[in-house]
Amino acid sequence: MNKEEILSKAQAEKKDEMQSFILDKSMRWTYLVMIFTAGIFMIFKSFHDQPTTDICSMLCCSVAAGHIYRFIKTKERFYILMGISTALLGITAAIRFFMEY
């Protein structure tokens, strides 16, 4: 394959690596901010004797969705194992939350 064939093939894919990189970085920042703010709310709720399992459930289910999506796209076993385990934690936390009320 010569340079022109490789270039035309890459342009035909219409996959921008910079855009993929930015999307990946934005998801990392989303996770970091989500976990940080959830931690603050959980600490606040703990000091006021309120259950924190609702926030834990939301975090776990969000992370599980991300891992399951990654498994679907990459077929790496690590992601499905993490997805299932965090989903189970999220479901357990939700059940505990509803039982407390």
Side-chain angles (χ1 to χ4, degrees):
M1 241 189 241
N2 62 23
K3 282 184 183 179
E4 292 173 14
E5 288 177 20
I6 294 171
L7 180 61
S8 65
K9 200 175 211 182
Q11 289 173 341
E13 286 181 10
K14 296 186 181 185
K15 183 179 179 184
D16 186 8
E17 288 185 30
M18 182 63 152
Q19 198 171 24
S20 297
F21 176 77
I22 291 170
L23 181 62
D24 189 41
K25 282 287 188 185
S26 71
M27 288 305 299
R28 286 183 185 175
W29 278 105
T30 301
Y31 273 138
L32 280 172
V33 171
M34 181 177 63
I35 290 169
F36 179 75
T37 54
I40 291 171
F41 283 113
M42 288 176 81
I43 290 168
F44 181 81
K45 287 178 83 171
S46 292
F47 281 129
H48 291 90
D49 294 326
Q50 294 180 355
T52 59
T53 51
D54 55 339
I55 297 173
C56 182
S57 176
M58 286 188 293
L59 282 175
C60 288
C61 290
S62 297
V63 172
H67 279 95
I68 291 169
Y69 178 79
R70 286 181 185 172
F71 169 73
I72 291 168
K73 294 297 182 182
T74 64
K75 303 296 185 221
E76 292 183 35
R77 281 184 22 174
F78 171 77
Y79 293 125
I80 193 65
L81 294 174
M82 289 300 294
I84 290 171
S85 61
T86 53
L88 289 174
L89 284 172
I91 292 167
T92 302
I95 290 169
R96 288 196 60 201
F97 174 76
F98 289 118
M99 289 176 66
E100 291 174 0
Y101 276 98

